[in-house]
Amino acid sequence: MSEQTQEKVELGPEDRAPELVPLHAIFATDFVAILVPVTTANTIDEVAAAVAHHSEGRRVRALPYPKYVIHNGRRLPGDITVAEAGIQPLDHVAVEYDIPEGES
């Protein structure tokens, strides 16, 4: 009998199937924190849109500005994924409007 050795290969976040990542989130000046389901494959821009969907135009006046996500005090680039950002299930994120200086 021959023995087969199996190597364990660690897959990077981009190589795995998307996994559900529920996030505790708050949008701009909303007073209601919400639980938002996203996946590890969602971009940060998609996370911002998902969070805003529940508040914008309901409890928060919609503004014509892009949105950004803050996680652990860091402003995240919109083109990276949830997995690349290191966001874990039930982490808290805040979504804010990117209002240019001098406008408000």
Side-chain angles (χ1 to χ4, degrees):
M1 283 178 134
S2 68
E3 256 185 66
Q4 291 183 338
T5 58
Q6 292 185 356
E7 279 186 50
K8 285 192 173 184
V9 177
E10 279 293 318
L11 298 177
E14 67 281 351
D15 298 321
R16 289 184 261 177
E19 298 169 13
L20 183 64
V21 181
L23 298 178
H24 180 263
I26 193 140
F27 179 71
T29 58
D30 198 352
F31 61 93
V32 177
I34 56 175
L35 191 63
V36 179
V38 298
T39 72
T40 52
N42 284 121
T43 66
I44 297 304
D45 284 341
E46 291 169 336
V47 171
V51 172
H53 170 77
H54 297 282
S55 299
E56 193 174 41
R58 291 178 170 87
R59 292 178 301 276
V60 176
R61 181 172 55 103
L63 298 175
Y65 302 110
K67 300 162 193 69
Y68 64 93
V69 174
I70 300 169
H71 175 252
N72 289 340
R74 298 180 305 140
R75 180 176 171 159
L76 301 176
D79 60 343
I80 65 172
T81 65
V82 169
E84 292 167 337
I87 299 175
Q88 299 296 311
L90 299 179
D91 276 1
H92 177 77
V93 298
V95 176
E96 297 289 340
Y97 284 113
D98 193 5
I99 301 173
E101 274 190 48
E103 293 185 38
S104 53

Coordinates of all heavy atoms in Angstrom, one line a residue:
M1 N 0.8 -1.2 0.0 CA 0.0 0.0 0.0 C 0.9 1.2 0.0 O 1.8 1.3 0.7 CB -0.9 0.0 1.2 CG -2.0 -0.9 1.2 SD -2.9 -0.7 2.8 CE -4.5 -0.5 2.3
S2 N 0.5 2.2 -0.8 CA 1.2 3.4 -0.8 C 0.5 4.5 0.0 O -0.7 4.5 0.0 CB 1.4 3.9 -2.2 OG 0.2 4.3 -2.8
E3 N 1.3 5.3 0.7 CA 0.7 6.3 1.5 C 0.6 7.6 0.7 O 1.5 8.0 0.0 CB 1.6 6.6 2.7 CG 1.0 6.0 4.0 CD 1.9 6.4 5.1 OE1 1.9 7.6 5.5 OE2 2.5 5.5 5.7
Q4 N -0.5 8.2 0.8 CA -0.7 9.5 0.1 C -0.6 10.6 1.1 O -1.3 10.5 2.1 CB -2.0 9.6 -0.6 CG -2.1 8.7 -1.8 CD -3.5 8.9 -2.5 OE1 -4.4 9.3 -1.9 NE2 -3.5 8.5 -3.8
T5 N 0.2 11.6 0.8 CA 0.2 12.7 1.7 C -0.6 13.8 1.1 O -0.6 14.1 -0.1 CB 1.7 13.2 1.9 OG1 2.2 13.6 0.6 CG2 2.5 12.2 2.5
Q6 N -1.4 14.4 2.0 CA -2.2 15.5 1.5 C -1.7 16.8 2.1 O -1.5 16.9 3.3 CB -3.7 15.3 2.0 CG -4.3 14.1 1.3 CD -5.8 14.0 1.7 OE1 -6.3 14.7 2.5 NE2 -6.5 13.1 1.0
E7 N -1.5 17.8 1.3 CA -1.1 19.1 1.7 C -2.4 19.9 2.0 O -3.3 19.9 1.2 CB -0.3 19.8 0.7 CG 1.1 19.4 0.6 CD 1.9 20.2 -0.3 OE1 1.8 21.5 -0.3 OE2 2.6 19.7 -1.2
K8 N -2.3 20.6 3.1 CA -3.4 21.6 3.4 C -3.0 22.9 2.7 O -2.0 23.4 3.0 CB -3.6 21.8 4.9 CG -4.3 20.6 5.5 CD -4.8 21.0 6.9 CE -5.6 19.8 7.4 NZ -6.1 20.1 8.7
V9 N -3.9 23.4 1.9 CA -3.7 24.6 1.2 C -4.6 25.7 1.8 O -5.8 25.4 1.8 CB -3.9 24.5 -0.3 CG1 -3.7 25.8 -1.0 CG2 -3.0 23.4 -0.9
E10 N -4.1 26.7 2.3 CA -4.9 27.8 2.8 C -5.4 28.7 1.6 O -4.5 29.2 0.9 CB -4.1 28.7 3.8 CG -4.1 28.1 5.2 CD -5.4 28.1 5.9 OE1 -6.2 29.0 5.8 OE2 -5.7 27.0 6.5
L11 N -6.7 28.9 1.5 CA -7.2 29.7 0.5 C -7.3 31.1 1.0 O -7.7 31.4 2.1 CB -8.6 29.2 0.0 CG -8.7 27.8 -0.6 CD1 -10.1 27.5 -0.9 CD2 -7.8 27.8 -1.8
G12 N -7.0 32.1 0.1 CA -7.1 33.5 0.4 C -8.6 33.9 0.4 O -9.4 33.1 -0.2
P13 N -8.9 35.0 0.9 CA -10.3 35.5 0.9 C -10.9 35.5 -0.5 O -12.1 35.2 -0.6 CB -10.3 36.9 1.5 CG -9.0 37.0 2.2 CD -8.0 36.0 1.6
E14 N -10.1 35.9 -1.5 CA -10.6 36.0 -2.8 C -10.9 34.6 -3.5 O -11.6 34.6 -4.5 CB -9.7 36.8 -3.7 CG -8.3 36.2 -3.9 CD -7.3 36.3 -2.8 OE1 -7.6 37.0 -1.8 OE2 -6.3 35.7 -2.9
D15 N -10.3 33.6 -2.9 CA -10.5 32.2 -3.5 C -11.6 31.4 -2.9 O -12.0 30.4 -3.4 CB -9.2 31.4 -3.3 CG -8.0 32.1 -4.0 OD1 -8.2 32.6 -5.1 OD2 -6.9 32.1 -3.5
R16 N -12.2 31.9 -1.8 CA -13.2 31.1 -1.1 C -14.6 31.6 -1.6 O -14.8 32.7 -2.1 CB -13.2 31.3 0.4 CG -12.0 30.6 1.0 CD -12.0 30.8 2.5 NE -11.1 31.9 2.8 CZ -10.8 32.4 4.0 NH1 -11.5 31.9 5.0 NH2 -10.0 33.3 4.1
A17 N -15.6 30.7 -1.4 CA -17.0 31.1 -1.7 C -17.4 32.2 -0.8 O -17.0 32.2 0.4 CB -17.9 29.9 -1.6
P18 N -18.2 33.1 -1.2 CA -18.7 34.2 -0.4 C -19.4 33.6 0.9 O -20.2 32.7 0.8 CB -19.7 35.0 -1.2 CG -19.3 34.7 -2.6 CD -18.7 33.3 -2.6
E19 N -19.1 34.2 2.0 CA -19.7 33.8 3.3 C -20.5 35.0 3.8 O -20.2 36.2 3.6 CB -18.6 33.5 4.3 CG -17.8 32.3 3.9 CD -16.5 32.1 4.7 OE1 -16.5 32.7 5.8 OE2 -15.7 31.4 4.3
L20 N -21.6 34.7 4.5 CA -22.5 35.7 5.1 C -21.7 36.4 6.2 O -21.1 35.8 7.1 CB -23.8 35.1 5.6 CG -24.8 36.0 6.2 CD1 -25.3 37.0 5.1 CD2 -26.0 35.3 6.8
V21 N -21.8 37.7 6.3 CA -21.2 38.5 7.3 C -22.3 39.6 7.8 O -22.4 40.6 7.2 CB -20.0 39.3 6.8 CG1 -19.3 40.1 8.0 CG2 -19.0 38.3 6.2
P22 N -23.0 39.2 8.8 CA -24.0 40.2 9.4 C -23.2 41.3 10.1 O -22.3 41.1 10.8 CB -24.8 39.4 10.3 CG -24.0 38.2 10.7 CD -23.1 38.0 9.6
L23 N -23.6 42.6 9.8 CA -22.9 43.7 10.4 C -23.8 44.6 11.2 O -25.0 44.8 10.9 CB -22.3 44.6 9.3 CG -21.2 44.0 8.4 CD1 -20.8 45.0 7.3 CD2 -20.0 43.5 9.2
H24 N -23.3 45.1 12.3 CA -24.0 46.0 13.2 C -23.7 47.4 12.6 O -22.5 47.7 12.5 CB -23.5 45.9 14.6 CG -24.2 46.8 15.5 ND1 -23.6 48.0 15.9 CD2 -25.3 46.8 16.2 CE1 -24.4 48.7 16.7 NE2 -25.5 47.9 16.9
A25 N -24.6 48.1 12.1 CA -24.3 49.3 11.3 C -25.2 50.5 11.7 O -26.3 50.3 12.2 CB -24.5 49.1 9.8
I26 N -24.7 51.7 11.5 CA -25.4 52.9 11.7 C -25.1 53.8 10.5 O -24.0 53.8 10.0 CB -25.1 53.6 13.0 CG1 -26.2 54.7 13.3 CG2 -23.7 54.1 13.1 CD1 -26.6 54.7 14.7
F27 N -26.1 54.5 10.0 CA -26.0 55.4 8.9 C -26.1 56.9 9.3 O -27.1 57.3 9.9 CB -27.0 55.1 7.8 CG -27.0 56.0 6.6 CD1 -25.9 55.8 5.7 CD2 -27.9 56.9 6.4 CE1 -25.8 56.6 4.6 CE2 -27.8 57.8 5.3 CZ -26.8 57.6 4.4
A28 N -25.1 57.6 8.9 CA -25.0 59.1 9.1 C -25.6 59.5 10.4 O -25.2 59.1 11.5 CB -25.7 59.8 7.9
T29 N -26.7 60.3 10.4 CA -27.3 60.9 11.6 C -28.5 60.0 12.1 O -29.2 60.5 13.0 CB -27.8 62.3 11.4 OG1 -28.7 62.3 10.3 CG2 -26.6 63.2 11.0
D30 N -28.6 58.8 11.6 CA -29.7 58.0 12.0 C -29.5 57.6 13.5 O -28.4 57.4 14.0 CB -29.8 56.7 11.2 CG -31.1 56.0 11.3 OD1 -31.9 56.3 12.1 OD2 -31.3 55.0 10.5
F31 N -30.6 57.5 14.2 CA -30.5 57.1 15.6 C -30.8 55.6 15.8 O -30.7 55.1 17.0 CB -31.6 57.9 16.4 CG -33.0 57.7 16.0 CD1 -33.8 56.7 16.6 CD2 -33.5 58.4 15.0 CE1 -35.1 56.5 16.2 CE2 -34.9 58.2 14.6 CZ -35.6 57.3 15.2
V32 N -31.0 54.9 14.7 CA -31.3 53.4 14.8 C -30.1 52.6 14.3 O -29.8 52.8 13.1 CB -32.6 53.1 14.0 CG1 -32.9 51.6 14.1 CG2 -33.8 53.8 14.6
A33 N -29.6 51.8 15.1 CA -28.5 50.9 14.6 C -29.2 49.6 14.0 O -30.3 49.2 14.5 CB -27.6 50.4 15.8
I34 N -28.7 49.1 13.0 CA -29.4 48.0 12.3 C -28.4 46.9 12.1 O -27.2 47.0 12.1 CB -29.9 48.5 10.9 CG1 -28.8 49.1 10.1 CG2 -31.1 49.4 11.1 CD1 -29.3 49.5 8.7
L35 N -28.9 45.7 11.8 CA -28.2 44.5 11.4 C -28.3 44.3 9.9 O -29.4 44.2 9.4 CB -28.7 43.3 12.2 CG -27.8 42.0 12.1 CD1 -26.5 42.3 12.8 CD2 -28.6 40.9 12.8
V36 N -27.2 44.4 9.2 CA -27.2 44.3 7.7 C -26.5 43.1 7.2 O -25.3 42.9 7.6 CB -26.6 45.6 7.1 CG1 -26.6 45.6 5.6 CG2 -27.3 46.8 7.6
P37 N -27.1 42.2 6.5 CA -26.4 41.1 5.9 C -25.6 41.5 4.7 O -26.2 42.0 3.7 CB -27.6 40.1 5.6 CG -28.7 41.0 5.3 CD -28.6 42.2 6.1
V38 N -24.4 41.2 4.7 CA -23.5 41.3 3.5 C -22.7 40.1 3.3 O -22.8 39.2 4.2 CB -22.6 42.6 3.6 CG1 -23.4 43.9 3.7 CG2 -21.6 42.5 4.7
T39 N -21.9 39.9 2.3 CA -21.0 38.8 2.1 C -19.6 39.2 2.1 O -19.3 40.4 1.9 CB -21.4 38.0 0.9 OG1 -20.9 38.7 -0.3 CG2 -22.8 37.6 0.8
T40 N -18.7 38.3 2.2 CA -17.3 38.6 2.2 C -16.9 39.1 0.8 O -15.8 39.7 0.6 CB -16.5 37.3 2.5 OG1 -16.9 36.2 1.7 CG2 -16.6 36.9 4.0
A41 N -17.7 38.8 -0.2 CA -17.4 39.2 -1.6 C -17.9 40.6 -1.9 O -17.5 41.2 -2.9 CB -17.9 38.2 -2.6
N42 N -18.8 41.2 -1.1 CA -19.3 42.5 -1.3 C -18.2 43.6 -1.2 O -17.3 43.4 -0.4 CB -20.4 42.9 -0.3 CG -21.7 42.3 -0.6 OD1 -22.2 41.5 0.2 ND2 -22.3 42.5 -1.8
T43 N -18.2 44.6 -2.1 CA -17.3 45.7 -1.9 C -17.8 46.6 -0.8 O -18.9 46.6 -0.4 CB -17.2 46.5 -3.2 OG1 -18.4 47.1 -3.5 CG2 -16.7 45.6 -4.4
I44 N -16.9 47.5 -0.4 CA -17.2 48.4 0.7 C -18.2 49.4 0.2 O -19.1 49.8 0.9 CB -15.9 49.1 1.2 CG1 -15.0 48.1 1.8 CG2 -16.3 50.2 2.2 CD1 -15.6 47.2 3.0
D45 N -18.2 49.8 -1.1 CA -19.2 50.6 -1.7 C -20.6 49.9 -1.6 O -21.6 50.6 -1.4 CB -18.9 51.0 -3.2 CG -17.8 52.1 -3.3 OD1 -17.6 52.8 -2.3 OD2 -17.2 52.2 -4.4
E46 N -20.6 48.6 -1.9 CA -21.9 47.9 -1.8 C -22.4 47.8 -0.3 O -23.6 47.9 -0.1 CB -21.7 46.5 -2.3 CG -21.5 46.5 -3.8 CD -21.1 45.1 -4.4 OE1 -20.5 44.3 -3.7 OE2 -21.3 44.9 -5.6
V47 N -21.5 47.7 0.6 CA -21.8 47.7 2.0 C -22.5 49.1 2.4 O -23.5 49.2 3.0 CB -20.6 47.5 3.0 CG1 -21.0 47.7 4.4 CG2 -20.1 46.1 2.8
A48 N -21.8 50.2 1.9 CA -22.4 51.5 2.2 C -23.8 51.6 1.6 O -24.7 52.2 2.3 CB -21.5 52.6 1.6
A49 N -24.0 51.1 0.4 CA -25.4 51.2 -0.2 C -26.4 50.4 0.6 O -27.5 50.8 0.8 CB -25.3 50.7 -1.6
A50 N -25.9 49.2 1.0 CA -26.8 48.3 1.8 C -27.3 48.9 3.1 O -28.4 48.8 3.5 CB -26.2 46.9 2.0
V51 N -26.3 49.6 3.8 CA -26.6 50.2 5.1 C -27.6 51.4 4.8 O -28.6 51.6 5.5 CB -25.4 50.6 5.8 CG1 -25.7 51.5 7.0 CG2 -24.5 49.4 6.2
A52 N -27.2 52.2 3.8 CA -28.0 53.4 3.5 C -29.4 53.1 3.1 O -30.4 53.8 3.4 CB -27.3 54.2 2.4
H53 N -29.6 51.9 2.4 CA -30.9 51.5 2.0 C -32.0 51.5 3.1 O -33.1 51.8 2.8 CB -30.8 50.1 1.3 CG -32.1 49.5 1.0 ND1 -32.9 49.9 -0.1 CD2 -32.9 48.6 1.7 CE1 -34.0 49.2 -0.1 NE2 -34.0 48.4 1.0
H54 N -31.6 51.2 4.3 CA -32.5 51.1 5.4 C -32.8 52.4 6.1 O -33.7 52.5 6.9 CB -32.0 50.1 6.4 CG -31.8 48.7 5.9 ND1 -32.9 47.9 5.7 CD2 -30.8 48.0 5.4 CE1 -32.5 46.7 5.1 NE2 -31.2 46.8 4.9
S55 N -32.0 53.4 5.8 CA -32.2 54.7 6.5 C -32.4 55.9 5.6 O -33.2 56.8 5.9 CB -30.9 55.0 7.4 OG -30.7 54.0 8.3
E56 N -31.7 55.9 4.5 CA -31.7 57.1 3.6 C -33.1 57.3 3.0 O -33.7 56.4 2.5 CB -30.7 56.9 2.5 CG -30.4 58.1 1.7 CD -29.3 57.9 0.7 OE1 -29.3 56.8 0.1 OE2 -28.5 58.8 0.6
G57 N -33.7 58.5 3.2 CA -35.0 58.8 2.7 C -36.1 58.3 3.7 O -37.3 58.6 3.4
R58 N -35.7 57.7 4.8 CA -36.7 57.2 5.8 C -36.5 58.1 7.0 O -37.4 58.9 7.4 CB -36.5 55.8 6.1 CG -36.9 54.8 4.9 CD -36.7 53.4 5.3 NE -37.2 52.5 4.3 CZ -36.6 52.1 3.2 NH1 -35.4 52.5 2.9 NH2 -37.2 51.2 2.4
R59 N -35.4 57.9 7.7 CA -35.1 58.6 8.9 C -34.0 59.7 8.7 O -33.8 60.5 9.5 CB -34.7 57.7 10.1 CG -35.8 56.8 10.6 CD -35.4 55.9 11.6 NE -34.3 55.0 11.2 CZ -34.5 53.8 10.6 NH1 -35.7 53.4 10.3 NH2 -33.5 53.1 10.2
V60 N -33.3 59.5 7.6 CA -32.2 60.4 7.3 C -32.4 61.0 5.9 O -32.7 60.3 4.9 CB -30.8 59.7 7.2 CG1 -29.7 60.6 6.8 CG2 -30.5 59.1 8.6
R61 N -32.4 62.3 5.8 CA -32.6 63.0 4.5 C -31.5 62.5 3.5 O -30.3 62.5 3.8 CB -32.5 64.5 4.7 CG -32.8 65.3 3.4 CD -32.9 66.8 3.7 NE -31.7 67.3 4.5 CZ -30.7 68.0 3.9 NH1 -30.8 68.3 2.6 NH2 -29.8 68.5 4.6
A62 N -31.9 62.1 2.3 CA -31.0 61.7 1.3 C -30.2 62.9 0.7 O -30.8 64.0 0.5 CB -31.8 61.1 0.1
L63 N -28.9 62.8 0.6 CA -28.1 63.8 0.1 C -27.4 63.4 -1.1 O -27.1 62.2 -1.3 CB -27.1 64.3 1.2 CG -27.6 64.8 2.5 CD1 -26.5 65.1 3.5 CD2 -28.4 66.1 2.2
P64 N -27.0 64.3 -2.0 CA -26.4 63.9 -3.3 C -24.9 63.7 -3.3 O -24.2 64.2 -4.1 CB -26.8 65.1 -4.2 CG -26.8 66.2 -3.3 CD -27.3 65.7 -2.0
Y65 N -24.4 63.0 -2.2 CA -23.0 62.8 -2.1 C -22.7 61.3 -2.0 O -23.5 60.5 -1.5 CB -22.5 63.5 -0.8 CG -22.8 65.0 -0.7 CD1 -23.8 65.5 0.1 CD2 -22.1 65.9 -1.6 CE1 -24.0 66.9 0.2 CE2 -22.4 67.2 -1.5 CZ -23.3 67.7 -0.7 OH -23.6 69.0 -0.6
P66 N -21.5 61.0 -2.3 CA -21.1 59.6 -2.2 C -21.0 59.2 -0.7 O -20.9 60.1 0.2 CB -19.7 59.5 -2.8 CG -19.2 60.9 -3.1 CD -20.4 61.8 -2.9
K67 N -21.0 57.9 -0.4 CA -21.0 57.4 0.9 C -19.7 56.7 1.2 O -19.1 56.1 0.2 CB -22.2 56.5 1.2 CG -23.5 57.2 1.0 CD -24.6 56.2 0.9 CE -25.9 56.8 0.4 NZ -25.8 57.3 -1.0
Y68 N -19.2 56.6 2.4 CA -18.0 55.8 2.8 C -18.3 55.1 4.1 O -19.2 55.4 4.8 CB -16.8 56.7 2.8 CG -16.8 57.8 3.9 CD1 -16.2 57.5 5.2 CD2 -17.3 59.0 3.7 CE1 -16.2 58.5 6.1 CE2 -17.3 60.0 4.6 CZ -16.7 59.7 5.9 OH -16.7 60.7 6.9
V69 N -17.5 54.1 4.3 CA -17.6 53.2 5.5 C -16.4 53.4 6.4 O -15.3 53.5 6.0 CB -17.7 51.7 5.1 CG1 -17.7 50.8 6.3 CG2 -18.9 51.5 4.2
I70 N -16.8 53.5 7.7 CA -15.7 53.5 8.7 C -15.8 52.2 9.6 O -16.9 51.9 10.0 CB -15.9 54.7 9.7 CG1 -15.9 56.0 8.9 CG2 -14.9 54.8 10.8 CD1 -16.4 57.2 9.6
H71 N -14.7 51.6 9.7 CA -14.6 50.3 10.5 C -13.4 50.4 11.4 O -12.3 50.7 10.9 CB -14.5 49.1 9.5 CG -14.2 47.8 10.2 ND1 -13.0 47.2 10.2 CD2 -15.1 47.1 11.0 CE1 -13.1 46.1 10.9 NE2 -14.4 46.0 11.4
N72 N -13.6 50.3 12.7 CA -12.5 50.4 13.7 C -11.7 51.7 13.5 O -10.5 51.7 13.6 CB -11.6 49.2 13.6 CG -12.2 47.9 14.1 OD1 -13.2 48.0 14.9 ND2 -11.7 46.8 13.7
G73 N -12.4 52.8 13.3 CA -11.8 54.1 13.2 C -11.1 54.3 11.8 O -10.5 55.4 11.7
R74 N -11.1 53.4 10.9 CA -10.5 53.6 9.6 C -11.5 53.8 8.5 O -12.5 53.1 8.5 CB -9.7 52.3 9.2 CG -8.6 51.9 10.0 CD -7.9 50.6 9.5 NE -8.9 49.5 9.3 CZ -8.9 48.7 8.3 NH1 -8.1 48.8 7.3 NH2 -9.8 47.7 8.2
R75 N -11.2 54.8 7.7 CA -12.1 55.0 6.5 C -11.6 54.0 5.4 O -10.4 54.0 5.0 CB -11.9 56.4 6.0 CG -12.8 56.7 4.8 CD -12.7 58.1 4.3 NE -13.3 58.3 3.1 CZ -13.8 59.4 2.6 NH1 -13.6 60.5 3.3 NH2 -14.4 59.5 1.5
L76 N -12.5 53.1 5.0 CA -12.2 52.1 4.1 C -12.3 52.5 2.6 O -13.3 53.2 2.3 CB -13.0 50.8 4.3 CG -13.0 50.2 5.7 CD1 -13.9 49.1 5.9 CD2 -11.5 49.8 6.0
P77 N -11.4 52.1 1.7 CA -11.6 52.3 0.3 C -12.8 51.6 -0.2 O -13.0 50.4 0.2 CB -10.3 51.8 -0.3 CG -9.4 51.2 0.8 CD -10.2 51.4 2.1
G78 N -13.5 52.2 -1.1 CA -14.7 51.6 -1.6 C -14.6 50.4 -2.5 O -15.5 49.6 -2.7
D79 N -13.4 50.2 -3.1 CA -13.2 49.1 -4.1 C -12.7 47.8 -3.5 O -12.5 46.8 -4.2 CB -12.3 49.6 -5.2 CG -10.9 50.0 -4.7 OD1 -10.7 50.2 -3.5 OD2 -10.0 50.1 -5.5
I80 N -12.4 47.8 -2.2 CA -12.0 46.5 -1.6 C -13.2 45.7 -1.1 O -14.3 46.3 -0.9 CB -10.9 46.7 -0.4 CG1 -11.6 47.4 0.7 CG2 -9.7 47.4 -1.0 CD1 -10.6 47.5 2.0
T81 N -13.0 44.4 -0.8 CA -14.1 43.6 -0.4 C -14.2 43.6 1.2 O -13.2 44.0 1.8 CB -14.0 42.1 -0.9 OG1 -12.8 41.5 -0.3 CG2 -13.9 42.1 -2.4
V82 N -15.3 43.1 1.7 CA -15.4 42.9 3.1 C -14.3 42.0 3.6 O -13.7 42.3 4.7 CB -16.8 42.3 3.4 CG1 -16.9 41.8 4.9 CG2 -17.9 43.3 3.1
A83 N -14.0 40.9 2.9 CA -12.9 40.0 3.4 C -11.6 40.7 3.4 O -10.8 40.6 4.3 CB -12.9 38.8 2.4
E84 N -11.3 41.5 2.3 CA -10.0 42.2 2.3 C -9.9 43.2 3.3 O -8.8 43.5 3.8 CB -9.8 42.8 0.9 CG -9.6 41.8 -0.2 CD -9.8 42.4 -1.6 OE1 -10.4 43.5 -1.8 OE2 -9.3 41.8 -2.6
A85 N -11.0 43.8 3.8 CA -11.0 44.8 4.8 C -10.8 44.2 6.2 O -10.6 44.9 7.2 CB -12.2 45.7 4.8
G86 N -11.0 42.9 6.3 CA -10.9 42.2 7.6 C -12.1 42.4 8.5 O -12.0 42.2 9.7
I87 N -13.2 42.7 7.9 CA -14.5 42.8 8.7 C -15.0 41.5 9.0 O -15.1 40.6 8.2 CB -15.5 43.6 7.8 CG1 -15.0 45.0 7.5 CG2 -16.8 43.7 8.6 CD1 -15.9 45.9 6.6
Q88 N -15.3 41.3 10.3 CA -15.8 40.0 10.8 C -17.3 40.1 11.1 O -17.8 41.2 11.3 CB -15.1 39.7 12.1 CG -13.6 39.5 11.9 CD -13.3 38.3 11.0 OE1 -13.8 37.2 11.2 NE2 -12.4 38.6 10.0
P89 N -18.0 39.0 11.3 CA -19.4 39.0 11.6 C -19.7 39.8 12.9 O -18.9 39.7 13.9 CB -19.8 37.5 11.8 CG -18.8 36.8 10.9 CD -17.5 37.6 11.0
L90 N -20.7 40.6 12.9 CA -21.2 41.5 14.0 C -20.2 42.6 14.3 O -20.4 43.3 15.3 CB -21.5 40.6 15.2 CG -22.6 39.6 15.0 CD1 -22.9 38.8 16.3 CD2 -23.9 40.3 14.5
D91 N -19.2 42.9 13.5 CA -18.4 44.1 13.7 C -19.3 45.3 13.4 O -20.3 45.2 12.7 CB -17.3 44.1 12.6 CG -16.1 43.4 13.1 OD1 -16.1 42.7 14.2 OD2 -15.1 43.4 12.3
H92 N -19.0 46.4 14.1 CA -19.7 47.6 13.9 C -19.1 48.5 12.8 O -17.9 48.6 12.7 CB -19.7 48.5 15.2 CG -20.4 49.8 15.0 ND1 -21.8 49.9 15.0 CD2 -19.9 51.0 14.8 CE1 -22.1 51.1 14.8 NE2 -21.0 51.9 14.7
V93 N -19.9 49.0 11.9 CA -19.5 49.9 10.8 C -20.4 51.1 10.9 O -21.6 51.0 11.2 CB -19.5 49.3 9.4 CG1 -18.5 48.1 9.3 CG2 -20.9 48.9 9.0
A94 N -19.8 52.2 10.5 CA -20.6 53.5 10.3 C -20.5 53.9 8.9 O -19.4 53.8 8.3 CB -20.1 54.6 11.2
V95 N -21.6 54.4 8.3 CA -21.6 54.9 7.0 C -21.9 56.4 7.0 O -22.9 56.8 7.7 CB -22.6 54.1 6.1 CG1 -22.7 54.7 4.7 CG2 -22.3 52.6 6.0
E96 N -21.1 57.2 6.3 CA -21.2 58.6 6.3 C -21.3 59.1 4.9 O -20.8 58.5 4.0 CB -20.1 59.3 7.1 CG -20.0 58.9 8.6 CD -21.1 59.5 9.4 OE1 -21.7 60.5 9.0 OE2 -21.3 59.0 10.5
Y97 N -21.8 60.3 4.8 CA -21.7 61.0 3.5 C -20.3 61.7 3.4 O -19.8 62.2 4.3 CB -22.8 62.1 3.4 CG -24.2 61.6 3.2 CD1 -25.2 61.8 4.1 CD2 -24.5 61.1 1.9 CE1 -26.5 61.3 3.9 CE2 -25.8 60.6 1.7 CZ -26.8 60.7 2.7 OH -28.0 60.3 2.4
D98 N -19.8 61.6 2.2 CA -18.5 62.3 1.9 C -18.8 63.7 1.3 O -18.9 63.9 0.1 CB -17.8 61.5 0.8 CG -16.3 61.9 0.7 OD1 -15.9 62.8 1.5 OD2 -15.6 61.4 -0.2
I99 N -19.1 64.6 2.3 CA -19.5 66.0 1.9 C -18.2 66.8 1.8 O -17.4 66.8 2.7 CB -20.4 66.6 3.0 CG1 -21.6 65.7 3.2 CG2 -20.8 68.0 2.7 CD1 -22.5 66.1 4.3
P100 N -18.1 67.4 0.6 CA -16.9 68.3 0.4 C -16.8 69.4 1.5 O -17.8 69.9 1.9 CB -17.1 68.9 -1.0 CG -18.1 68.0 -1.6 CD -18.9 67.4 -0.5
E101 N -15.6 69.8 1.8 CA -15.4 70.9 2.8 C -16.1 72.2 2.3 O -16.1 72.5 1.1 CB -13.9 71.2 3.0 CG -13.3 70.3 4.0 CD -11.8 70.8 4.3 OE1 -11.7 72.0 4.6 OE2 -11.0 69.9 4.3
G102 N -16.7 72.9 3.2 CA -17.4 74.1 2.9 C -18.9 73.9 2.5 O -19.6 74.8 2.4
E103 N -19.3 72.7 2.3 CA -20.7 72.3 2.0 C -21.2 71.6 3.2 O -20.6 70.7 3.7 CB -20.8 71.5 0.8 CG -20.5 72.2 -0.5 CD -20.7 71.4 -1.7 OE1 -21.7 70.6 -1.8 OE2 -19.9 71.4 -2.6
S104 N -22.4 71.9 3.6 CA -23.1 71.1 4.6 C -24.5 71.5 4.9 O -25.2 72.3 4.6 CB -22.3 71.1 6.0 OG -22.1 72.3 6.4

